C-alpha cells in the first residue's frame, strides 16, 4: 500500500495555476497514522528517513492504476538505443534492418512542446522551499528507526484490527441497533432456520450451535478491539486519574482556608461592627422622630390652608388662592398621602378651584364689557369706578387685569380671548348705533318716530351731514382700537412674562441636572466612603444620614437655598394668606413670586402652567384678536358706507365730494394700519366698489358730453380763450391738474386764433379744447384717488379711442354731412381734423408719464393702451393726408386727360391746375405747419408729374427740341412759376425734368 506522502516521478501541472506551476498529486485513499507517543509541534505529518524510503520504493500497479506512472510512458525504442555519443556509426541492429543508408540526423524540436528552462520550476521551488526546510529540521529531531518501527507496527495492527472488524456484520455497527426492533431481531437471529415442521432435529441443533459460536466470535473480536484501543490510550487514562486526585487535594485545602476566613470575619463583626451599627441605628431613629415632628407641623399647616383660601377669595386674590390650593394638593400627594383625616380635603380643594375658575371668567367678562362699552369721552374714569366698586381697597386696573390673566393662564382657560372678542363685536355695533343716534338728534328735519331704521335715517341726511357722521364714526373707532390695543398689550406682556419664566425654570432644571450628573465624579471623604457600603434592614444608612442632615439644616435656617420644597411653599403661602386678611397683600406680589424661577409656585405647579407652544399660540391669538378688531371696525364702517350708497347717492357725488370721501377713508385706513399693523381690505374694497361706480358714471358723463360736442361740431377753426392757453401752459410747466378758479374781478383777455404749444401753432376746433380739459379732469381724479388709477386709465383710453373713431366717421367718413348738415367736406375741414389729432398725439406721452407715476410697477402693462392709441391716431392722420392727395390726384387725372399740346400758351389745362393748387395752398397754409405743407405739396407735385408724363407719352411728345416740346416747356415753366410763387413753397424743388421719357 502506498503511503500518503508517495508521489509519482512526473508531477502534473496544477489546474488553478496560470504560470505552469506543478504540484504533486495526493492520493485521497491513502491514510496516515501517528505513533502513540507525542511528537514535537514541528514534527511533520509525513514519515521521513528509512520509513519513507521503504514506503516509497516505487509506484504500485494496483493502488496507482488510475494515476499516471512511469509504467504509462512510451518511448521510441530505436531512438532510445541510438547512442548519440558514438563517433562513428557501427553496424548494429538498425543498419541490419534499415540498411546502410540509415544515418544519424539532428531531430528538429517540436513546435508543440514548450522550451522548458529552470525558470519554469522557480515558482514550484519557492512554494516547496519552506516545507523542505521543515522536513529537514524534523529529520534531525525524530529518531528514524524507532518511529518507522512504531509506524509499521501501528499500521500492521491497524490493518489486522480492521480486517477482523470487517468480519462483524454491519448491522451490529449501526447507531440505531436495537434487538427490540422485529426487523433487526430477525436479521440477527434468523428463526426461519429453526422452525421446521418436524420439531427439533440434529440439523437445527447444529445451526443454533453454529450461530451461537459465530456471535461469540463477533463478541470476542469487538472486545479485543476495545481492549486494544484502551491499551493504546492507557497513558491518557492514568493521567486523568492522577489529575483527579490532585484536584481533590486542592479543594480540601481551599475549604480549610475558607473556614478560617469566615471565623476571622465573624470575629471582626463582633468586635468592630456591632458598636458603630448601634450608633447608626440610633441616628436613624432620631431622624425618623424629626421627620415625624415635621409631618405633624405640615399637617397643621395643611389644616389651616382651607380657611386661608376662603379668606383670599373674599378679597378676590385669585392668584394667591390658586397658588395655595396647588401647593396644598402637591403636599397632600407627596407628603401626606394616606392620611385618613385629610381624605376629603383633595376633593374640597378641587371644588374650590372650579369655583375660582368661574369667578375669574365672570370677572374677566365684566372687565371686558365695562372697558369696551364705557364712554369714549371719559377715558379711564369709569374703569376706576368699576375697580372701586369691585374691590374694597384701591387696586390698579392694570394689576387686576394682570392678576386675572395670569390666573386664567394658570388654570389653562386659554379661550378667555374669545370672551373679549365677543364683547368687542357687540361694542363695535353699539359705537355705530350711538354715533348715528347722536348725529340724528341734532338734525331737526329727520323725524325718528317716522323713520326708525338707522340706514333710512342716514339716507335722509345731506352729504355734509352724513360725511360729518362718517368722520365721527372713524374717530370713535380709532379711540376704540387704541383702548383694545392697550388692553391686549397688558395681556400679551403677562403671556410673555409667563413664557420667559418657563424658559428660566428649564435652564435652572438643566443646571441642577448637570450638577447631579457631575456629583458622582467628585471624591468622597473617608467617612462617606465607609457609610456608603454599610446596610441595615434593607436601607442605605448613608441616605438616612443625609436625609436627617437635610431636615436638620432646614430647621436651622437653610430653607433660604434656591430650591424650596412644598412644605416651605405651603408655610410661605400661609403667610401670604394672613397678610391678605390684613389687607396688605397685592395680587402683583403673589404673581411676581409665582414667576420667580425655582420659587414655590414653579416647583409646586410646574405642570399646571401652559407649555411654551400653548403660550406661543395665545400670544399669536392676541395679535390675531387685534387684527380682528381692525377688521370689525372696517366692517362696521362698510355698513355705514353701504347704507348711504344703497339708493345710489354716492354715485351722484361730484368729483370734489367723492375726493373728500376717499381722503377720509384713506386716512382712517392708514391710521388703523399704523395702529394695528394690519392692512384691512373690506373698507378699501367697499370704497373701490363705489369708486368703480363713480368712475363709470364719471366716464359716461364725459363720453356722452364729448359725443354731443362731436355731433354738433362743424369742423371750423375756433378761437382759443385765454384760459385754455393758460391751461396748456401749466401742462408744459409739469402741472397736470385743473387750474384754480380765478376771481370774478380779474381782467378778461382776448381770445387767440391759435393754440401755442412748444413754439408751434395749432388751429383747433372747440371740441378739442374741451377734450384737453376732460383728460385733465381724469388726471386730477387720479391725483385725488390713486386707487382708481388703473380703471381711470382704461376709461381715458376708451375716451381717446372714441374721439378718434367718431372724428374719423364724421370727417373722413363724411358723417358730418348728415349729422351737422355740412354741404361738403372741404380740404380745410380735413386739415383742421388732422391738426386736432396731432394735438392729441402731442399730449398722449404727457398723460402716459402722469399715469405711470400713479401705478405700481406690476401694473405698467396697462400703459400699452397709449401705444395702441398713438398708432391709431397716426394712422388716422396718415389717412387724412392720403385723402388730400386723393383729391388732387383725381383732379390731375381729370384735367390732364384733356390736355393737348397746341397754342395758345400757357394752356387752359395748366391754368386750371395752377388755380386749384393755389386754392389748396390757401386752405392749408394757415392750418398746417410749413414742413407739413411742403411735404404735402411735394407729394402733390409728384402726382402731377406722373399724370403729365403719362399724357405726354399718350400724345407722343418727346424731349426732342421740336415745336411740341417747346410748347410743353412753356406750360411747365408757367406751372413752376405759379407753384413757387406760393408762400412757404419758394424753395421747393419741383424737378420737372422727370416728365420726359428717358431714351433707351
Amino acid at each position: 500500500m502506498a503511503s500518503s506522502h508517495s508521489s509519482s516521478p512526473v508531477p502534473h501541472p496544477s489546474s488553478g495555476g496560470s504560470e505552469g506551476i506543478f504540484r504533486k498529486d495526493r492520493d485521497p485513499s491513502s491514510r496516515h497514522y501517528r505513533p502513540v507517543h507525542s511528537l514535537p509541534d514541528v514534527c511533520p505529518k509525513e514519515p521521513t528517513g528509512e520509513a519513507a524510503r521503504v514506503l516509497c520504493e516505487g509506484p504500485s500497479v494496483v493502488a496507482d492504476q488510475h494515476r499516471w506512472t512511469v509504467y504509462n510512458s512510451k518511448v521510441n525504442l530505436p531512438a532510445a538505443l541510438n547512442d548519440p555519443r558514438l563517433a562513428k556509426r557501427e553496424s548494429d541492429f538498425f543498419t541490419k534492418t534499415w540498411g546502410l543508408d540509415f544515418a544519424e540526423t539532428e531531430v528538429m524540436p517540436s513546435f508543440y512542446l514548450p522550451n522548458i528552462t529552470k525558470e519554469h520550476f522557480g515558482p514550484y521551488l519557492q512554494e516547496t522551499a519552506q516545507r523542505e526546510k521543515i522536513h529537514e529540521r524534523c529529520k534531525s529531531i525524530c529518531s528514524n528507526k524507532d518511529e518507522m518501527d512504531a509506524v509499521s507496527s501501528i499500521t500492521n495492527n491497524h490493518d489486522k484490527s480492521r480486517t477482523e472488524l470487517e468480519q462483524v456484520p454491519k448491522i451490529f455497527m449501526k447507531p440505531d441497533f436495537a434487538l427490540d426492533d422485529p426487523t433487526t431481531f430477525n436479521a440477527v437471529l434468523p428463526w426461519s432456520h429453526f422452525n421446521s415442521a418436524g420439531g427439533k432435529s440434529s440439523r437445527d441443533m447444529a445451526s443454533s450451535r453454529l450461530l451461537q459460536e459465530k456471535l461469540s466470535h463477533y463478541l470476542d473480536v469487538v472486545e479485543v478491539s476495545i481492549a486494544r484501543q484502551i491499551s493504546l490510550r492507557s497513558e491518557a487514562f492514568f493521567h486523568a486519574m492522577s489529575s483527579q486526585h490532585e484536584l481533590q487535594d486542592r479543594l480540601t485545602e481551599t475549604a480549610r482556608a475558607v473556614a478560617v476566613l469566615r471565623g476571622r470575619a465573624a470575629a471582626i463583626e463582633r468586635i468592630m461592627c456591632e458598636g458603630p451599627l448601634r450608633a447608626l441605628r440610633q441616628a436613624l431613629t432620631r431622624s425618623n422622630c424629626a421627620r415625624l415632628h415635621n409631618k405633624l407641623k405640615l399637617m397643621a399647616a395643611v389644616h389651616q390652608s382651607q380657611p386661608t383660601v376662603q379668606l383670599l377669595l373674599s378679597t378676590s386674590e385669585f392668584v394667591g388662592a390658586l397658588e395655595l390650593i396647588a401647593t396644598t394638593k402637591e403636599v397632600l400627594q407627596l407628603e401626606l398621602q394616606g392620611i385618613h383625616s385629610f381624605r376629603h380635603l383633595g376633593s374640597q380643594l378641587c371644588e374650590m378651584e372650579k369655583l375660582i375658575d368661574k369667578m375669574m371668567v365672570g370677572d374677566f367678562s365684566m372687565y371686558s364689557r365695562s372697558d369696551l362699552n364705557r364712554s369714549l369721552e371719559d377715558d379711564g374714569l369709569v374703569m376706576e369706578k368699576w375697580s372701586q366698586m369691585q374691590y374694597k381697597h384701591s387696586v390698579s386696573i392694570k394689576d387686576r387685569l394682570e392678576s386675572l390673566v395670569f390666573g386664567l393662564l394658570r388654570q389653562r382657560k386659554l379661550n378667555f380671548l374669545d370672551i373679549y372678542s365677543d364683547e368687542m363685536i357687540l361694542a363695535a355695533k353699539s359705537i355705530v348705533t350711538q354715533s348715528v343716534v347722536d348725529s340724528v338728534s341734532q338734525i331737526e328735519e329727520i323725524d325718528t318716530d317716522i323713520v326708525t331704521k338707522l340706514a333710512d335715517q342716514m339716507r335722509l341726511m345731506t352729504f355734509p351731514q352724513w360725511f360729518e357722521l362718517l368722520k365721527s364714526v372713524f374717530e370713535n373707532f380709532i379711540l376704540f382700537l387704541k383702548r383694545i390695543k392697550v388692553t391686549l398689550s397688558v395681556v400679551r406682556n403677562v403671556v410673555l412674562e409667563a413664557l420667559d419664566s418657563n424658559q428660566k425654570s428649564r435652564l435652572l432644571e438643566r443646571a441642577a441636572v448637570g450638577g447631579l450628573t457631575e456629583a458622582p465624579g467628585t471624591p468622597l471623604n473617608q467617612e462617606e466612603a465607609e457609610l456608603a457600603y454599610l446596610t441595615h434592614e434593607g436601607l442605605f444608612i448613608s441616605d438616612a444620614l443625609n436625609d436627617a442632615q437635610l431636615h436638620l439644616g432646614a430647621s436651622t435656617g437653610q430653607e433660604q437655598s434656591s430650591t424650596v420644597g412644598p412644605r416651605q411653599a405651603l408655610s410661605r403661602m400661609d403667610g401670604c394668606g394672613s397678610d391678605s386678611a390684613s389687607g396688605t397683600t397685592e395680587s402683583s406680589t403673589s404673581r411676581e413670586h409665582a414667576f420667580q424661577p425655582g420659587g414655590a409656585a414653579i416647583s409646586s405647579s410646574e405642570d399646571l402652567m401652559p407649555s411654551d407652544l400653548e403660550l406661543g399660540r395665545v400670544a399669536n391669538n392676541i395679535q390675531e384678536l387685534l387684527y380682528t378688531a381692525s377688521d370689525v371696525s372696517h366692517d362696521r364702517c362698510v355698513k355705514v358706507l353701504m347704507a348711504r350708497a344703497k339708493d345710489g347717492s354716492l354715485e351722484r357725488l361730484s368729483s370734489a365730494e367723492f375726493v373728500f370721501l376717499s381722503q377720509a377713508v384713506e386716512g382712517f385706513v392708514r391710521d388703523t394700519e399704523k395702529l394695528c399693523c394690519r392692512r384691512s381690505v373690506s373698507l378699501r374694497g367697499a370704497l373701490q366698489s363705489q369708486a368703480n361706480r363713480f368712475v363709470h358714471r364719471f366716464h359716461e358723463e364725459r363720453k356722452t358730453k364729448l359725443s354731443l360736442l362731436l355731433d354738433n361740431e362743424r369742423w371750423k377753426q375756433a378761437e382759443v380763450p385765454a384760459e385754455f392757453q393758460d391751461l396748456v401752459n401749466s401742462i408744459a410747466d409739469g402741472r397736470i391738474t385743473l387750474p384754480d378758479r380765478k376771481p370774478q374781478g380779474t381782467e378778461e383777455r382776448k381770445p387767440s386764433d391759435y393754440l401755442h404749444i412748444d413754439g408751434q401753432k395749432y388751429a383747433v376746433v372747440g371740441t378739442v379744447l374741451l377734450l384737453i380739459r376732460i383728460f385733465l379732469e381724469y388726471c386730477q381724479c387720479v391725483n385725488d384717488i390713486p386707487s382708481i388709477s388703473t380703471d381711470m386709465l382704461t376709461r381715458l383710453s376708451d375716451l381717446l379711442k372714441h374721439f378718434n373713431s367718431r372724428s374719423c366717421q364724421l370727417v373722413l367718413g363724411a358723417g358730418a354731412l348728415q349729422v351737422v348738415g355740412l354741404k361738403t367736406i372741404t380740404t380745410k375741414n380735413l386739415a383742421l381734423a388732422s391738426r386736432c389729432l396731432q394735438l392729441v398725439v402731442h399730449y398722449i406721452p404727457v398723460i402716459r408719464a402722469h399715469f405711470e407715476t400713479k401705478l405700481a410697477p406690476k401694473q405698467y402693462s396697462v400703459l400699452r393702451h397709449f401705444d395702441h392709441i398713438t398708432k391709431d391716431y397716426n394712422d388716422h392722420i396718415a389717412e387724412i393726408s392720403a385723402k388730400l392727395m386723393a383729391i388732387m390726384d383725381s383732379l390731375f387725372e381729370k384735367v390732364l386727360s384733356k390736355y393737348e399740346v397746341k397754342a395758345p400758351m400757357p394752356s387752359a389745362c395748366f391754368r386750371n391746375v395752377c388755380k386749384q393748387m393755389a386754392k389748396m395752398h390757401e386752405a392749408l397754409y394757415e392750418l398746417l405747419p410749413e414742413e407739413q405743407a411742403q411735404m404735402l405739396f411735394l407729394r402733390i407735385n409728384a402726382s402731377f408729374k406722373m399724370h403729365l408724363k403719362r399724357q405726354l407719352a399718350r400724345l407722343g411728345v418727346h424731349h426732342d427740341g421740336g415745336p411740341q416740346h417747346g410748347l410743353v416747356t412753356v406750360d411747365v415753366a408757367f406751372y413752376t412759376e405759379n407753384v413757387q410763387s406760393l408762400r412757404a413753397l419758394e424753395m421747393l424743388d419741383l424737378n420737372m425734368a422727370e416728365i420726359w421719357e428717358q431714351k433707351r
Side-chain angles (χ1 to χ4, degrees):
M1 182 178 64
S3 63
S4 62
H5 64 276
S6 64
S7 62
S8 62
V10 180
H12 292 278
S14 173
S15 62
S18 61
E19 299 179 357
I21 299 176
F22 294 88
R23 304 181 185 276
K24 292 189 293 183
D25 290 334
R26 295 184 179 274
D27 185 7
S29 63
S30 61
R31 297 180 180 271
H32 171 67
Y33 299 96
R34 295 177 180 269
V36 176
H37 59 276
S38 62
L39 295 176
D41 294 338
V42 298
C43 184
K45 298 181 180 180
E46 299 178 0
T48 58
E50 186 65 24
R53 186 181 62 80
V54 173
L55 295 175
C56 300
E57 289 178 352
S60 174
V61 178
V62 178
D64 300 331
Q65 58 180 339
H66 298 296
R67 294 195 306 164
W68 189 94
T69 64
V70 294
Y71 303 131
N72 295 334
S73 64
K74 293 180 177 61
V75 182
N76 189 354
L77 183 60
L81 297 177
N82 188 15
D83 188 7
R85 293 176 295 178
L86 292 179
K88 184 180 179 182
R89 180 176 301 278
E90 298 176 355
S91 296
D92 52 14
F93 172 78
F94 300 105
T95 57
K96 293 178 180 180
T97 304
W98 296 334
L100 297 176
D101 295 335
F102 179 81
E104 293 182 353
T105 57
E106 184 179 358
V107 180
M108 297 295 292
S110 175
F111 296 99
Y112 300 98
L113 297 177
N115 187 15
I116 305 300
T117 61
K118 187 177 180 180
E119 284 74 17
H120 288 81
F121 296 94
Y124 174 77
L125 294 176
Q126 291 179 3
E127 183 182 358
T128 60
Q130 185 66 24
R131 295 162 60 190
E132 184 179 3
K133 291 179 182 179
I134 296 174
H135 175 70
E136 293 297 333
R137 186 165 60 251
C138 292
K139 283 173 63 178
S140 62
I141 296 174
C142 300
S143 58
N144 297 333
K145 184 176 181 180
D146 296 340
E147 289 181 357
M148 293 308 300
D149 293 341
V151 168
S152 61
S153 63
I154 290 173
T155 304
N156 295 331
N157 293 333
H158 178 71
D159 293 340
K160 182 179 180 181
S161 175
R162 184 176 181 182
T163 304
E164 292 176 350
L165 285 175
E166 288 178 353
Q167 298 176 3
V168 180
K170 300 298 182 180
I171 191 171
F172 293 103
M173 302 300 178
K174 290 183 179 180
D176 55 348
F177 176 79
L179 286 176
D180 54 356
D181 184 9
T183 305
T184 304
F185 186 82
N186 292 329
V188 174
L189 299 175
W191 292 106
S192 59
H193 297 281
F194 308 112
N195 293 332
S196 59
K200 294 184 179 180
S201 63
S202 59
R203 185 179 178 181
D204 294 337
M205 294 296 291
S207 298
S208 61
R209 190 179 302 111
L210 180 61
L211 178 61
Q212 183 177 3
E213 291 177 357
K214 187 184 294 185
L215 294 177
S216 300
H217 175 66
Y218 292 161
L219 178 61
D220 294 340
V221 170
V222 173
E223 288 177 350
V224 169
S225 178
I226 292 174
R228 185 181 297 113
Q229 294 296 328
I230 292 174
S231 65
L232 292 175
R233 292 169 177 78
S234 60
E235 184 179 354
F237 291 155
F238 290 128
H239 178 70
M241 293 300 294
S242 61
S243 299
Q244 181 69 22
H245 292 307
E246 183 179 358
L247 181 60
Q248 290 179 356
D249 294 340
R250 290 185 180 180
L251 287 175
T252 303
E253 294 178 0
T254 303
R256 190 181 302 111
V258 169
V260 173
L261 181 60
R262 285 182 176 179
R264 292 179 181 178
I268 291 174
E269 181 180 5
R270 184 176 62 258
I271 297 170
M272 301 181 64
C273 296
E274 287 184 357
L277 284 176
R278 190 181 302 109
L280 293 176
R281 206 174 289 118
Q282 291 176 355
L284 183 61
T285 303
R286 181 179 181 277
S287 172
N288 292 335
C289 292
R291 186 178 298 177
L292 176 61
H293 181 256
N294 292 331
K295 287 283 185 182
L296 293 175
K297 291 195 298 182
L298 187 61
M299 291 176 63
V302 169
H303 182 67
Q304 294 296 326
S305 62
Q306 190 172 7
T308 306
V309 169
Q310 295 176 353
L311 187 62
L312 290 171
L313 290 180
S314 64
T315 57
S316 298
E317 291 289 344
F318 301 119
V319 177
L322 289 172
E323 293 291 341
L324 183 57
I325 290 174
T327 306
T328 305
K329 289 170 68 176
E330 184 178 3
V331 169
L332 287 174
Q333 292 177 359
L334 300 179
E335 301 286 344
L336 302 179
Q337 189 174 9
I339 303 298
H340 185 72
S341 58
F342 291 149
R343 64 186 183 278
H344 300 304
L345 182 58
S347 59
Q348 293 173 358
L349 292 175
C350 291
E351 293 298 328
M352 295 177 70
E353 194 171 7
K354 293 178 182 178
L355 177 62
I356 293 174
D357 291 346
K358 294 180 181 179
M359 294 177 66
M360 285 192 300
V361 171
D363 234 12
F364 186 78
S365 301
M366 185 180 299
Y367 166 81
S368 302
R369 192 177 305 109
S370 302
D371 182 47
L372 294 173
N373 292 322
R374 60 193 168 104
S375 175
L376 297 171
E377 298 175 357
D378 302 331
D379 194 12
L381 297 178
V382 175
M383 288 306 296
E384 292 294 338
K385 294 178 181 178
W386 173 79
S387 178
Q388 293 175 5
M389 290 172 58
Q390 287 294 114
Y391 309 106
K392 298 179 181 179
H393 52 279
S394 177
V395 180
S396 171
I397 299 177
K398 180 181 177 182
D399 291 340
R400 297 308 309 165
L401 179 59
E402 290 177 348
S403 176
L404 278 174
V405 172
F406 176 71
L408 292 170
L409 290 176
R410 181 185 178 83
Q411 295 305 108
R412 293 181 177 271
K413 299 294 182 180
L414 304 182
N415 59 344
F416 66 94
L417 293 176
D418 297 339
I419 300 173
Y420 195 83
S421 177
D422 296 339
E423 295 294 337
M424 178 182 65
I425 295 173
L426 295 176
K429 293 180 180 179
S430 64
I431 286 175
V432 174
T433 303
Q434 189 62 36
S435 299
V436 174
V437 170
D438 293 343
S439 298
V440 170
S441 63
Q442 300 175 2
I443 302 174
E444 298 179 355
E445 291 82 3
I446 299 177
D447 190 356
T448 55
D449 296 334
I450 299 175
V451 183
T452 57
K453 295 184 178 180
L454 297 179
D456 296 337
Q457 294 174 1
M458 283 188 284
R459 283 191 286 272
L460 292 176
M461 296 180 182
T462 61
F463 177 76
Q465 293 172 344
W466 178 82
F467 189 65
E468 289 298 324
L469 169 63
L470 184 64
K471 290 195 294 183
S472 174
V473 171
F474 287 165
E475 292 174 358
N476 291 338
F477 273 119
I478 292 297
L479 294 175
F480 177 69
L481 291 176
K482 287 181 179 179
R483 182 175 297 170
I484 291 175
K485 186 175 182 179
V486 170
T487 300
L488 294 181
S489 298
V490 174
V491 176
R492 188 170 186 272
N493 290 336
V494 174
V495 174
L496 294 179
E497 193 175 356
L499 190 62
D500 184 59
S501 68
N502 284 355
Q503 294 175 354
K504 288 181 180 179
S505 64
R506 273 200 309 275
L507 292 176
L508 288 176
E509 288 177 2
R510 291 175 184 173
V513 171
L516 290 176
T517 55
E518 292 176 0
T522 58
L524 299 174
N525 55 31
Q526 184 176 2
E527 294 179 357
E528 291 174 344
E530 292 177 356
L531 290 174
Y533 293 98
L534 295 177
T535 59
H536 176 67
E537 296 181 359
L539 296 175
F540 283 94
I541 302 179
S542 58
D543 295 340
L545 288 180
N546 291 334
D547 198 6
Q549 290 177 359
L550 286 176
H551 289 299
L552 185 60
S555 62
T556 57
Q558 291 183 357
E559 66 275 2
Q560 301 298 328
S561 61
S562 59
T563 304
V564 182
R567 281 175 281 186
Q568 287 79 10
L570 185 62
S571 61
R572 187 175 299 176
M573 293 308 297
D574 274 341
C576 292
S578 59
D579 292 340
S580 301
S582 60
T584 59
T585 300
E586 297 183 359
S587 62
S588 59
T589 305
S590 60
R591 186 175 57 82
E592 289 173 359
H593 169 69
F595 278 145
Q596 291 176 358
I602 295 299
S603 62
S604 62
S605 60
E606 184 177 357
D607 297 334
L608 295 179
M609 288 300 294
S611 63
D612 291 351
L613 181 60
E614 292 173 333
L615 291 175
R617 289 175 181 171
V618 173
N620 292 334
N621 291 339
I622 292 171
Q623 189 64 36
E624 291 295 331
L625 186 57
L626 187 59
Y627 295 159
T628 304
S630 176
D631 294 341
V632 168
S633 302
H634 281 250
D635 293 342
R636 304 316 302 178
C637 293
V638 168
K639 295 286 185 181
V640 176
L641 195 66
M642 292 295 103
R644 179 71 179 182
K646 188 175 182 180
D647 59 350
S649 57
L650 293 182
E651 300 176 18
R652 296 190 294 271
L653 296 178
S654 64
S655 301
E657 291 174 340
F658 195 86
V659 166
F660 291 150
L661 175 61
S662 176
Q663 290 175 348
V665 172
E666 287 294 333
F668 176 70
V669 171
R670 282 195 304 270
D671 292 340
T672 56
E673 184 176 349
K674 182 179 179 181
L675 190 62
C676 303
C677 301
R678 168 78 164 190
R679 188 178 180 86
S680 299
V681 297
S682 58
L683 185 57
R684 266 203 179 103
L687 179 64
Q688 185 66 38
S689 175
Q690 294 302 317
N692 292 336
R693 297 180 182 178
F694 169 77
V695 167
H696 178 73
R697 183 192 59 80
F698 179 89
H699 173 68
E700 290 299 327
E701 287 181 355
R702 279 146 186 80
K703 188 175 181 180
T704 303
K705 181 179 180 181
L706 182 62
S707 299
L708 292 175
L709 291 173
L710 287 172
D711 291 342
N712 294 317
E713 182 60 61
R714 302 190 66 84
W715 298 99
K716 293 183 178 180
Q717 183 177 359
E719 294 182 345
V720 180
E723 62 181 46
F724 283 97
Q725 185 62 51
D726 295 338
L727 193 63
V728 296
N729 291 339
S730 66
I731 296 174
D733 294 337
R735 297 189 297 273
I736 316 297
T737 57
L738 290 173
D740 297 333
R741 294 182 178 273
K742 295 184 178 180
Q744 296 181 356
T746 58
E747 181 181 356
E748 294 185 0
R749 291 175 293 172
K750 294 182 179 180
S752 173
D753 293 334
Y754 299 95
L755 193 64
H756 298 273
I757 302 173
D758 295 339
Q760 291 190 14
K761 296 189 302 181
Y762 286 88
V764 295
V765 296
T767 303
V768 173
L769 294 177
L770 294 176
L771 178 62
I772 294 174
R773 185 176 183 86
I774 287 173
F775 72 67
L776 282 180
E777 290 177 352
Y778 278 80
C779 294
Q780 180 66 42
C781 195
V782 168
N783 291 338
D784 297 332
I785 314 173
S787 61
I788 62 174
S789 299
T790 306
D791 196 11
M792 194 64 77
L793 185 148
T794 306
R795 304 305 175 98
L796 180 56
S797 301
D798 180 67
L799 185 72
L800 294 175
K801 290 178 181 178
H802 176 71
F803 174 78
N804 184 39
S805 61
R806 188 59 181 162
S807 60
C808 180
Q809 294 171 2
L810 293 174
V811 179
L812 280 179
L817 300 179
Q818 292 82 19
V819 176
V820 186
L822 296 180
K823 294 180 180 180
T824 182
I825 301 298
T826 63
T827 55
K828 193 169 186 177
N829 298 138
L830 292 172
L832 195 59
S834 176
R835 198 58 178 156
C836 293
L837 294 174
Q838 292 175 20
L839 177 62
V840 176
V841 171
H842 173 78
Y843 278 114
I844 285 178
V846 179
I847 300 171
R848 177 193 176 110
H850 178 73
F851 273 90
E852 188 173 356
T853 60
K854 305 299 179 183
L855 294 175
K858 62 182 180 181
Q859 297 175 331
Y860 284 168
S861 59
V862 298
L863 296 174
R864 67 181 184 275
H865 294 303
F866 290 115
D867 299 332
H868 300 328
I869 293 171
T870 303
K871 182 178 180 301
D872 294 342
Y873 271 73
N874 288 328
D875 293 343
H876 191 182
I877 294 170
E879 290 176 4
I880 292 176
S881 299
K883 183 65 177 178
L884 292 174
M885 278 292 303
I887 292 173
M888 297 304 297
D889 189 73
S890 62
L891 175 66
F892 292 151
E893 185 178 5
K894 179 180 179 182
V895 173
L896 291 177
S897 64
K898 302 176 181 179
Y899 175 62
E900 296 180 356
V901 183
K902 62 182 181 179
M905 293 297 163
S907 63
C909 179
F910 269 74
R911 284 192 179 119
N912 189 12
V913 168
C914 292
K915 180 181 178 182
Q916 294 299 328
M917 292 280 283
K919 287 183 179 180
M920 172 71 75
H921 179 269
E922 182 181 1
L924 301 181
Y925 178 74
E926 298 295 333
L927 301 178
L928 298 179
E930 291 185 3
E931 296 81 2
Q932 294 184 20
Q934 290 175 0
M935 292 297 299
L936 180 61
F937 275 91
L938 279 176
R939 293 172 62 189
I940 292 173
N941 178 62
S943 176
F944 172 75
K945 289 189 293 182
M946 181 188 67
H947 287 286
L948 179 59
K949 182 178 180 180
R950 190 180 299 164
Q951 183 65 20
L952 291 176
R954 190 182 301 114
L955 295 174
V957 180
H958 302 288
H959 189 269
D960 54 1
Q964 288 186 334
H965 173 264
L967 292 176
V968 172
T969 304
V970 174
D971 280 342
V972 170
F974 175 74
Y975 168 78
T976 303
E977 181 181 0
N978 274 274
V979 171
Q980 291 182 345
S981 66
L982 299 175
R983 286 180 295 179
L985 302 181
E986 295 86 355
M987 304 303 296
L988 198 64
D989 185 11
L990 301 180
N991 194 13
M992 298 302 295
E994 295 180 352
I995 65 175
W996 304 107
E997 290 284 347
Q998 299 292 331
K999 292 183 179 181
R1000 299 180 181 177

